[in-house]
Amino acid sequence: MLDNNDLLMEMQRRMLRIRRFEERVIQLVERGEIVGAAHSYIGEEAVAVGACLALRDDDWITGNHRSHGHPIAKGGDVNKAMAELLGKSTGFCKGKGGSMHLADFSVGILGESGILGSSIPTAVGAALGSQLQGNDRVAVPFFGDGASNEGAFHESLNLAAIWKLPVVFLCENNQYAVTSSFKKMVASENISDRAAAYNIPGVLVDGQDVIAMYEAVSEAVARARAGEGPALIEGRTYRYFDHSLGLNRIVRDPYREDEEVEHWKQRDPIIIHAKLLLSQGIATQVELDALESEIAAQIDEATEFARQSPYPEPSALFEDMFANPIPLE
Amino acid sequence: MLDNNDLLMEMQRRMLRIRRFEERVIQLVERGEIVGAAHSYIGEEAVAVGACLALRDDDWITGNHRSHGHPIAKGGDVNKAMAELLGKSTGFCKGKGGSMHLADFSVGILGESGILGSSIPTAVGAALGSQLQGNDRVAVPFFGDGASNEGAFHESLNLAAIWKLPVVFLCENNQYAVTSSFKKMVASENISDRAAAYNIPGVLVDGQDVIAMYEAVSEAVARARAGEGPALIEGRTYRYFDHSLGLNRIVRDPYREDEEVEHWKQRDPIIIHAKLLLSQGIATQVELDALESEIAAQIDEATEFARQSPYPEPSALFEDMFANPIPLE
Amino acid sequence: MTQVQTETRDITLTQALNEAMREEMRKDERVFIMGEDIQSGVYGASGGLAAEFGPERVRDCPLSENAFMGAAVGAAAVGMRPIVESAFCFMWVAMDSLVSQAAKMRYMFGGQVNLPIVYRASLYYGGSMAAHHSDRSYPIFMHIPGFKVVFPSNAYDGKGLMKTAIREDDPVLFCEDRTILGSRAFVPEDDYAIPLGVADIKREGSDVTIVAIGGMVPRALDAAETLDREGVSAEVIDPRSLVPLDKQTILDSVAKTGRLVTVDMAHKTCSAASEIAAIVAMEGFWSLQAPVQRLGTVNVHIPFSTALEPLCYPTAESIADAARTTMS
Amino acid sequence: MTQVQTETRDITLTQALNEAMREEMRKDERVFIMGEDIQSGVYGASGGLAAEFGPERVRDCPLSENAFMGAAVGAAAVGMRPIVESAFCFMWVAMDSLVSQAAKMRYMFGGQVNLPIVYRASLYYGGSMAAHHSDRSYPIFMHIPGFKVVFPSNAYDGKGLMKTAIREDDPVLFCEDRTILGSRAFVPEDDYAIPLGVADIKREGSDVTIVAIGGMVPRALDAAETLDREGVSAEVIDPRSLVPLDKQTILDSVAKTGRLVTVDMAHKTCSAASEIAAIVAMEGFWSLQAPVQRLGTVNVHIPFSTALEPLCYPTAESIADAARTTMS
Ligand SMILES: Cc1ncc(C[n+]2csc(CCOP(=O)(O)OP(=O)(O)O)c2C)c(N)n1
Ligand SMILES: Cc1ncc(C[n+]2csc(CCOP(=O)(O)OP(=O)(O)O)c2C)c(N)n1
Ligand SMILES: [Mg+2]
Ligand SMILES: [Mg+2]
């Protein structure tokens, strides 16, 4: 088992950073400081963190609508993330993207897509770039169980497979697409089974176990860097909250049992990993408490930063459409 | 082995009808009587005939750009088919469809799509209709190896699988998409392997053996009628001519070896089946010769019918857009 | 439509659409709905229908829009009458089924098949949903022959137009504008259908013609109020269907007023507003006394920030300004 | 452009596009091509490039347009400069990658990324290819913000515009009209680029302005010849790029002639011709002395039969008629 203590602590740090960030987001949504649609990543932290810590800073990721966790896991700036959610000019995207379109190209985050499956080909293209440029940068598209039913999934896996591109397809199977269970919507038992159709490895991983995620992705990344082609990894996980914050107000029929939700909360990735850190003597309770306060301070600072930041000027409306601008009306 | 002699003769009749029809089409293209793009089905006859003879008249099929064979195999009127290819008002589609859009709803031919993969969801929808209407009509979409790389393939197989729809997906793997070998373009070894991703049967069949095609499709159809859901059948076959008639003029580099073409011509489905009919004493050479002249007469008649038929009137231009017409400019 | 104010039974556009679908599904068992999470009624108008009609006729679909929107074509071809619930932003992935099959099939097969399908397309603009979720791409479906394009601006029209759409034997693209889904109007309980291709004059006037679509209609009516106070009498026309388009009502109005403002929430270039402006420049030219004013969404994608998004769309104020310009 | 006639080195538009790609690929190794069967050069303009640049830079793709057109976005985002060869009819299956990613990415991410991509889109109309293979849907890409839309009408413009397109740091939709791909014009061997947004006056005239696009330009020039014999002096303007559109050249011409005919091979409704008519009705209204004439493809899908297809498109004769109408 993994014996890099700094790495094991960093896993906890990033998972906790995501958790506390998302808890703050919930407050800000309730307060009306964050508008539009916000999809909570709480419960799924181990997937993004395990995967992103298996990557280099210069590797690429793409995300989806539920993507506050991915940029944080990849090392994106929390201040800019929070500012973006508040629509401020200091955000990743100058306030133009918001919750579903976080992106930080400076740390390899090629951006998130609110349209399902849409950013999977983008990641394949980044990997094609690596191949053409002769470097070994790997691309990891994050997408859900529901998105694996989009045609883009099929086309992308086949394309990456025949060209042996360095892509690790990462399906976050939180078992529901809005109210639809993947058991009803996905014909195969596991999404990882679909790898067989492309002659690539398909691995089902416990998405609540950050170390398991880290190891599975590390192996796939090693293969990809070695030019052996793509892999499909399914992180079996769970979202604690409704599909999007506030949606429970309009979803009429319950689509999952309270017992099920409870069962999964018992397998909370952050608690599991904390127990391990303590039991293995990698961290003391005091150190974990210190981590808590470190993160709390970061989130407070990010919130302050976002609140203090200015909104974009009206003149920003027509900026950023083109690298080589043209008259726009 | 199949001991229905009428059926075995009908197989030969329909394969021959397609072959002679297509040979005539080649002449008419060279003469300039058929314009636009025409894709020859010669060499692949056993796939359509074996499959369609496993269907009832009230079952549904959809086709693609290489679809002169499918309607003939399903029992479509050869006169109307030829008239359509000549753009005459007596054609299946009154001359509006042409070679890539033959359709005869009266015998269950829901039409052909020039856009790859496009008619696969259509067939799935027809099967959904059967399920909702409580009948047992089966739908068979024909598509190529190349089209199996379209997203529509993936989405359709998953949809049919989770809803247990009566669909038999029929991939005609003639091993090339224009100049591209499926070995380079399809990540799995066989296209039938892709069925695994949808938990449905996937069967690789010798597409030059009309009886093998008939039996494989019959079995899948029986399952489908019984409500046990879809199957994917790959008919491994070969086209003797270039992707589309006349294309050899512009395809610069050879993309397949003459030996390969010769090898497959040695496995001609019509010769194979003729030998069987003779060796099993199901038909005499005299009867086969009679069949030849019967077909020759049909094709001559179809050609005459098409030639004598009038072109559509200019007034037809604005007809057929809507069931409930609106002013059109 | 003035009775709307006076009458009693006011319901929202969402409720009106729901009512229309419910009544038609009761009358005709060939009618069924496909969409994502419609059994739980997440997105409104299909709410409660699963309870009455069951999961077979109110079908939750996987996230495979190209397949299920294409399956609607096949189902229609064999005698069913599907309603598909979706949104413009989710239709890009399904464009091939919509264009190559739904729109082209009948003509290319020489009229052998009718395709009674209603594609319900939500517009989520105006709610900080950002670039991916704010599409308003109905002009694309006006450009592509084969769809009838319907766009109600209130609950009363919504129910009557939805009934017509469901009974239509052709593919209908039915636009549902979230900025007005919650707006209430008088909706009779009885069965009524509003024909396609018949514009409605929402307000009569004599100085300037304002043609507005969907959610732009209430804004145009507000503008007309303002203009009225300034002594400018604006006529507000709601086409209600864009294909077929009731050109005559627009041309007659311009013949009366001599001035035209076209208002659209789609991007300006090649928009419905452009088309209407072009039609009047061709067929109503001699009536025009001032340049046509075309209003639409600016040609950038929809930004998330509340500091920017509101700057994108026409407003009552910008509509009034455009009208004033035609008067000066 | 009059030198075209006089000069020696006449090559086809296909050859000119091939030459432009070849020269740019030699100069910049980040440029590569993706498409279907392009190594064998089935569809013309990429012919022979694989022999020089190899299968890595001239990549045959599987029939997965949404994936490879989306992969172009990812490759561009990490520093490559992809050219994608396809056709309008095959882009429906890829609309999501084109719209949600290529067109929206830069703006929605606040300008963090440049996407230097050339999407080459063939138009196969006019060759009995029927409904599925005759799409001319560039107005859709004018409506959707984020693309620069380029449409050459001859070999000379083709080479210069393709070079600009390849050097552009934004997504370019490059239209290749098969009705003129074989037409020859003088094309200098040397390196020249034609800026976007600069219309070209293909023929000067004083009585009526004819704005024509791509394959409609030669038809408009034929019409101008006919009109000339009748004593009507027509000015023929080729926008060359539709986004950005050189409004000023069109408005200046109309200011001179007072009459406008817009000609487009796309379907009439919400077409480029509609947009140009609308612009002139807004900004050139006071110059207009007669109703605008808009010509385009009739609003039906393209029928296969040679007895019907030719009736769909504007012709030199119908253009001349429209011009005569503006004169009467
Ligand atoms: C193409 C498309 N269809 C529908 C939607 C609406 N939608 C947004 S998120 C979502 C569910 C996605 O489920 P999944 O992929 O499992 O991701 P999760 O939300 O569970 O993380 C749906 C249907 C969309 N954004 N894009
Ligand atoms: C979506 C789409 N992309 C590209 C084409 C152009 N095209 C027509 S046929 C063809 C090859 C099809 O190969 P396959 O599916 O194997 O069928 P085959 O021609 O071998 O019978 C291609 C690329 C098309 N018609 N549709
Ligand atoms: Mg999910
Ligand atoms: Mg093939």
Side-chain angles (χ1 to χ4, degrees):
Chain A
M1 120 107 220
L2 196 70
D3 66 352
N4 176 334
N5 292 358
D6 296 347
L7 178 60
L8 291 166
M9 277 301 282
E10 189 58 22
M11 289 175 173
Q12 190 70 352
R13 177 175 289 104
R14 296 203 185 184
M15 289 197 292
L16 211 52
R17 193 177 287 145
I18 295 170
R19 176 71 53 95
R20 301 297 172 239
F21 181 90
E22 290 291 65
E23 288 168 349
R24 180 61 51 88
V25 167
I26 292 172
Q27 294 170 5
L28 297 173
V29 167
E30 285 164 355
R31 287 221 188 95
E33 290 185 68
I34 293 177
V35 295
H39 304 82
S40 172
Y41 197 65
I42 291 180
E44 311 185 27
E45 295 88 348
V47 180
V49 170
C52 289
L53 285 177
L55 298 176
R56 295 194 313 235
D57 288 354
D58 69 349
D59 289 325
W60 310 109
I61 69 169
T62 65
N64 62 357
H65 57 287
R66 192 178 305 286
S67 271
H68 301 164
H70 306 127
I72 297 176
K74 187 68 163 65
D77 180 329
V78 191
N79 290 7
K80 289 182 174 176
M82 192 64 86
E84 188 61 35
L85 296 187
L86 269 66
K88 300 301 184 78
S89 61
T90 54
F92 282 136
C93 310
K94 305 178 187 169
K96 283 177 171 143
S99 167
M100 293 190 280
H101 303 301
L102 299 181
D104 184 351
F105 285 68
S106 68
V107 292
I109 305 161
L110 297 179
E112 300 165 359
S113 169
I115 302 303
L116 298 170
S118 209
S119 62
I120 304 177
T122 313
V124 170
L128 173 59
S130 301
Q131 192 180 70
L132 287 165
Q133 292 161 358
N135 65 47
D136 66 351
R137 299 166 79 167
V138 171
V140 180
F142 290 91
F143 55 92
D145 47 295
S148 77
N149 289 328
E150 295 286 350
F153 167 89
H154 170 68
E155 296 188 4
S156 297
L157 268 75
N158 186 65
L159 191 64
I162 60 172
W163 288 352
K164 285 201 172 304
L165 298 178
V167 187
V168 178
F169 295 94
L170 215 151
C171 182
E172 304 182 292
N173 183 0
N174 60 11
Q175 307 178 56
Y176 294 88
V178 190
T179 65
S180 304
S181 163
F182 88 101
K183 297 195 174 71
K184 274 198 207 149
M185 296 300 183
V186 175
S188 57
E189 191 186 342
N190 307 306
I191 287 161
S192 54
D193 299 342
R194 291 180 160 175
Y198 314 99
N199 258 326
I200 61 173
V203 190
L204 175 60
V205 185
D206 176 357
Q208 307 311 88
D209 178 344
V210 67
I211 295 174
M213 281 303 306
Y214 173 82
E215 288 173 337
V217 174
S218 298
E219 193 183 329
V221 165
R223 283 185 77 255
R225 286 203 208 288
E228 291 161 36
L232 171 62
I233 292 180
E234 171 183 359
R236 189 66 62 90
T237 182
Y238 205 76
R239 64 170 154 77
Y240 293 179
F241 291 84
D242 269 302
H243 169 66
S244 69
L245 297 172
L247 198 67
N248 43 349
R249 285 196 312 277
I250 47 175
V251 177
R252 294 179 185 71
D253 313 335
Y255 58 93
R256 52 185 202 183
E257 304 296 327
D258 297 346
E259 298 67 38
E260 184 183 278
V261 181
E262 272 323 301
H263 162 79
W264 280 90
K265 285 186 176 171
Q266 293 316 312
R267 306 206 54 256
D268 186 83
I270 294 175
I271 295 172
I272 290 176
H273 195 61
K275 287 216 184 92
L276 177 132
L277 293 173
L278 292 169
S279 62
Q280 306 277 323
I282 294 157
T284 65
Q285 190 56 51
V286 177
E287 290 170 308
L288 291 187
D289 296 345
L291 191 60
E292 276 287 1
S293 15
E294 169 198 326
I295 303 287
Q298 277 176 0
I299 302 303
D300 287 340
E301 187 204 319
T303 311
E304 263 326 286
F305 173 81
R307 285 176 170 153
Q308 301 308 325
S309 294
Y311 280 104
E313 294 297 322
S315 60
L317 183 65
F318 287 107
E319 293 164 4
D320 301 322
M321 271 299 294
F322 293 104
N324 175 12
I326 65 175
L328 293 173
E329 291 178 358
Chain B
M1 117 108 219
L2 196 68
D3 65 355
N4 177 333
N5 292 357
D6 295 347
L7 178 60
L8 291 166
M9 277 303 281
E10 188 59 23
M11 289 174 174
Q12 189 71 351
R13 176 174 290 105
R14 296 203 186 186
M15 289 198 290
L16 211 52
R17 192 177 288 146
I18 295 170
R19 175 71 53 96
R20 301 299 172 236
F21 182 91
E22 291 291 65
E23 287 167 350
R24 181 60 53 87
V25 166
I26 292 172
Q27 293 169 6
L28 296 174
V29 167
E30 285 164 354
R31 286 223 188 95
E33 291 185 67
I34 292 177
V35 294
H39 304 83
S40 172
Y41 197 64
I42 291 180
E44 311 185 27
E45 295 88 347
V47 180
V49 170
C52 289
L53 284 176
L55 298 176
R56 293 194 314 236
D57 287 355
D58 69 348
D59 288 325
W60 310 109
I61 68 168
T62 64
N64 62 356
H65 58 287
R66 190 178 305 287
S67 270
H68 301 165
H70 306 128
I72 297 176
K74 186 70 164 64
D77 180 328
V78 190
N79 291 7
K80 289 183 175 177
M82 192 65 85
E84 188 61 34
L85 295 188
L86 269 67
K88 301 301 184 77
S89 60
T90 54
F92 282 135
C93 310
K94 305 178 188 170
K96 283 177 171 145
S99 168
M100 293 190 280
H101 302 302
L102 299 180
D104 184 352
F105 284 68
S106 69
V107 292
I109 304 161
L110 296 179
E112 300 165 358
S113 169
I115 302 303
L116 298 169
S118 210
S119 62
I120 304 177
T122 312
V124 171
L128 173 60
S130 301
Q131 193 181 69
L132 288 165
Q133 292 161 357
N135 64 46
D136 66 352
R137 299 166 80 168
V138 171
V140 179
F142 290 91
F143 54 92
D145 46 295
S148 77
N149 289 328
E150 294 287 350
F153 168 88
H154 170 67
E155 295 188 4
S156 297
L157 268 76
N158 186 65
L159 191 64
I162 61 172
W163 287 352
K164 287 202 171 304
L165 299 178
V167 188
V168 178
F169 294 95
L170 215 153
C171 182
E172 304 183 291
N173 183 0
N174 60 11
Q175 307 178 55
Y176 294 88
V178 191
T179 66
S180 304
S181 163
F182 88 101
K183 297 194 174 70
K184 273 198 207 153
M185 295 301 183
V186 174
S188 57
E189 191 187 341
N190 307 307
I191 287 162
S192 54
D193 299 343
R194 289 180 160 176
Y198 313 99
N199 257 327
I200 61 173
V203 190
L204 175 61
V205 184
D206 176 356
Q208 306 312 87
D209 178 346
V210 66
I211 295 175
M213 281 303 307
Y214 173 82
E215 288 174 336
V217 175
S218 298
E219 192 183 329
V221 166
R223 283 185 77 255
R225 287 204 207 287
E228 290 161 35
L232 170 63
I233 291 179
E234 171 183 359
R236 189 66 62 91
T237 181
Y238 205 77
R239 63 170 154 77
Y240 293 178
F241 290 84
D242 269 303
H243 169 66
S244 70
L245 297 172
L247 198 67
N248 45 346
R249 287 197 311 278
I250 46 175
V251 178
R252 294 180 185 69
D253 314 334
Y255 58 93
R256 51 185 202 183
E257 304 298 327
D258 297 346
E259 298 67 37
E260 184 183 279
V261 181
E262 272 323 302
H263 162 77
W264 279 91
K265 284 186 176 171
Q266 294 316 313
R267 304 207 55 254
D268 186 83
I270 294 175
I271 296 173
I272 290 176
H273 195 60
K275 288 216 183 90
L276 177 131
L277 292 174
L278 292 168
S279 63
Q280 306 276 324
I282 296 158
T284 64
Q285 188 57 52
V286 177
E287 290 169 311
L288 292 186
D289 296 345
L291 191 60
E292 277 286 2
S293 14
E294 169 198 326
I295 303 285
Q298 276 177 2
I299 302 303
D300 288 339
E301 187 205 318
T303 310
E304 264 326 286
F305 174 82
R307 284 176 170 155
Q308 301 308 326
S309 294
Y311 281 104
E313 293 297 323
S315 60
L317 183 65
F318 287 107
E319 293 165 4
D320 300 322
M321 271 299 293
F322 293 104
N324 175 12
I326 65 174
L328 293 173
E329 291 178 0
Chain C
M1 291 289 309
T2 37
Q3 83 247 47
V4 174
Q5 276 47 279
T6 63
E7 292 282 353
T8 51
R9 186 171 172 279
D10 284 7
I11 62 174
T12 66
L13 174 52
T14 299
Q15 292 166 322
L17 299 176
N18 181 274
E19 197 166 278
M21 290 190 285
R22 186 184 301 273
E23 289 173 15
E24 293 304 302
M25 287 181 79
R26 284 178 182 161
K27 275 215 286 301
D28 186 343
E29 64 176 15
R30 296 169 302 173
V31 179
F32 71 104
I33 314 183
M34 292 195 278
E36 290 160 10
D37 305 288
I38 57 177
Q39 290 171 3
S40 64
V42 172
Y43 299 109
S46 304
L49 296 177
E52 176 169 352
F53 301 104
E56 289 293 308
R57 287 183 68 193
V58 181
R59 300 182 85 85
D60 276 353
C61 295
L63 310 184
S64 306
E65 290 80 4
N66 196 42
F68 72 76
M69 295 199 196
V73 173
V78 301
M80 300 301 294
R81 306 185 69 87
I83 298 171
V84 179
E85 175 177 295
S86 190
F88 280 108
C89 44
F90 310 145
M91 286 180 160
W92 302 117
V93 296
M95 280 306 272
D96 186 58
S97 287
L98 293 168
V99 178
S100 300
Q101 299 300 314
K104 292 182 176 179
M105 219 188 212
R106 190 177 200 283
Y107 190 78
M108 102 188 153
F109 296 150
Q112 289 184 72
V113 62
N114 292 347
L115 297 177
I117 310 170
V118 180
Y119 290 105
R120 293 174 43 214
S122 289
L123 295 80
Y124 297 132
Y125 71 102
S128 299
M129 295 295 282
H132 271 184
H133 282 77
S134 304
D135 290 316
R136 295 137 280 108
S137 18
Y138 52 89
I140 287 176
F141 295 88
M142 296 169 64
H143 177 67
I144 299 160
F147 293 103
K148 293 176 176 175
V149 180
V150 178
F151 204 148
S153 67
N154 63 69
Y156 176 88
D157 291 348
K159 181 176 176 181
L161 288 168
M162 178 58 83
K163 280 178 169 275
T164 304
I166 295 172
R167 296 171 191 176
E168 196 75 7
D169 281 333
D170 295 303
V172 174
L173 184 82
F174 197 97
C175 304
E176 302 180 5
D177 183 336
R178 66 170 292 289
T179 67
I180 52 173
L181 280 174
S183 69
R184 295 175 173 277
F186 162 69
V187 176
E189 284 179 12
D190 47 286
D191 180 25
Y192 64 98
I194 296 173
L196 306 187
V198 180
D200 189 42
I201 298 177
K202 297 298 186 195
R203 176 189 177 116
E204 300 214 343
S206 52
D207 297 332
V208 54
T209 300
I210 304 176
V211 179
I213 297 162
M216 295 296 110
V217 172
R219 301 184 190 193
L221 288 167
D222 290 349
E225 284 298 322
T226 313
L227 292 163
D228 192 56
R229 278 183 244 104
E230 301 168 11
V232 175
S233 163
E235 180 149 292
V236 177
I237 296 178
D238 174 0
R240 298 198 295 194
S241 73
L242 297 163
V243 180
L245 178 68
D246 181 355
K247 286 196 306 190
Q248 205 48 54
T249 297
I250 295 169
L251 291 167
D252 292 347
S253 178
V254 174
K256 177 174 62 176
T257 63
R259 297 176 175 79
L260 175 67
V261 178
T262 60
V263 192
D264 195 334
M265 84 288 290
H267 292 291
K268 289 177 184 176
T269 303
C270 297
S271 62
S274 304
E275 179 64 20
I276 292 165
I279 288 170
V280 173
M282 293 184 285
E283 302 178 36
F285 179 77
W286 300 116
S287 320
L288 283 172
Q289 293 164 39
V292 174
Q293 295 292 313
R294 175 195 63 180
L295 300 185
T297 293
V298 295
N299 287 323
V300 301
H301 291 295
I302 305 306
F304 167 73
S305 181
T306 52
L308 297 176
E309 186 183 12
L311 307 176
C312 294
Y313 314 113
T315 60
E317 209 26 63
S318 66
I319 297 168
D321 280 339
R324 292 184 192 106
T325 310
T326 64
M327 301 302 297
S328 58
Chain D
M1 292 289 309
T2 36
Q3 82 249 47
V4 175
Q5 278 45 282
T6 64
E7 294 281 353
T8 51
R9 186 171 172 278
D10 283 7
I11 62 174
T12 66
L13 175 52
T14 298
Q15 292 167 320
L17 299 176
N18 181 274
E19 198 167 278
M21 290 190 284
R22 187 184 300 274
E23 289 173 17
E24 293 304 301
M25 288 181 79
R26 284 177 181 162
K27 276 215 288 299
D28 186 343
E29 64 177 16
R30 295 169 303 174
V31 179
F32 71 104
I33 314 183
M34 292 195 279
E36 289 160 10
D37 305 288
I38 56 177
Q39 289 171 4
S40 64
V42 173
Y43 299 110
S46 303
L49 295 178
E52 175 169 352
F53 302 104
E56 288 294 308
R57 288 182 70 192
V58 182
R59 300 182 85 85
D60 277 353
C61 295
L63 309 185
S64 307
E65 290 81 4
N66 196 40
F68 72 76
M69 295 199 196
V73 173
V78 302
M80 301 301 294
R81 305 183 71 86
I83 298 172
V84 179
E85 175 178 297
S86 190
F88 280 108
C89 43
F90 310 145
M91 286 181 159
W92 302 118
V93 295
M95 280 306 274
D96 186 58
S97 287
L98 292 168
V99 178
S100 301
Q101 300 299 315
K104 292 182 176 177
M105 219 188 212
R106 190 177 200 283
Y107 189 78
M108 113 187 144
F109 295 150
Q112 288 184 72
V113 62
N114 292 348
L115 298 176
I117 310 170
V118 180
Y119 289 107
R120 293 174 43 214
S122 289
L123 295 78
Y124 298 131
Y125 70 101
S128 299
M129 294 296 283
H132 272 184
H133 283 76
S134 304
D135 290 315
R136 295 137 281 108
S137 18
Y138 53 89
I140 287 176
F141 295 88
M142 295 169 64
H143 177 67
I144 299 159
F147 293 102
K148 292 175 177 177
V149 180
V150 179
F151 204 148
S153 67
N154 62 70
Y156 177 88
D157 290 349
K159 181 176 176 182
L161 289 167
M162 178 59 82
K163 279 177 169 274
T164 304
I166 295 171
R167 296 171 192 177
E168 195 75 7
D169 281 332
D170 295 304
V172 174
L173 183 81
F174 196 97
C175 303
E176 302 181 5
D177 183 336
R178 66 169 291 290
T179 66
I180 52 173
L181 280 175
S183 68
R184 295 174 174 278
F186 162 69
V187 177
E189 283 178 11
D190 46 287
D191 179 26
Y192 65 97
I194 295 173
L196 305 187
V198 181
D200 189 40
I201 299 177
K202 297 297 186 195
R203 175 188 177 115
E204 300 215 343
S206 51
D207 298 332
V208 54
T209 301
I210 304 175
V211 179
I213 296 162
M216 294 297 109
V217 172
R219 301 184 189 194
L221 289 168
D222 291 348
E225 285 298 323
T226 313
L227 292 164
D228 192 55
R229 279 184 242 105
E230 301 167 12
V232 175
S233 163
E235 178 148 292
V236 177
I237 296 178
D238 174 0
R240 298 198 294 195
S241 73
L242 297 163
V243 179
L245 177 69
D246 180 356
K247 285 196 306 189
Q248 205 48 54
T249 297
I250 296 169
L251 291 168
D252 292 347
S253 177
V254 174
K256 177 174 63 176
T257 63
R259 297 175 175 80
L260 175 67
V261 177
T262 60
V263 192
D264 194 334
M265 82 289 289
H267 291 291
K268 288 177 185 177
T269 304
C270 297
S271 62
S274 304
E275 179 64 21
I276 292 165
I279 288 169
V280 173
M282 292 183 285
E283 302 178 35
F285 180 76
W286 300 115
S287 323
L288 283 172
Q289 293 163 38
V292 174
Q293 296 292 314
R294 176 195 63 180
L295 300 186
T297 293
V298 295
N299 287 324
V300 301
H301 291 295
I302 304 307
F304 166 73
S305 181
T306 51
L308 296 176
E309 186 183 11
L311 307 175
C312 294
Y313 315 113
T315 60
E317 208 26 64
S318 65
I319 297 168
D321 279 339
R324 293 184 192 105
T325 310
T326 65
M327 300 303 298
S328 59

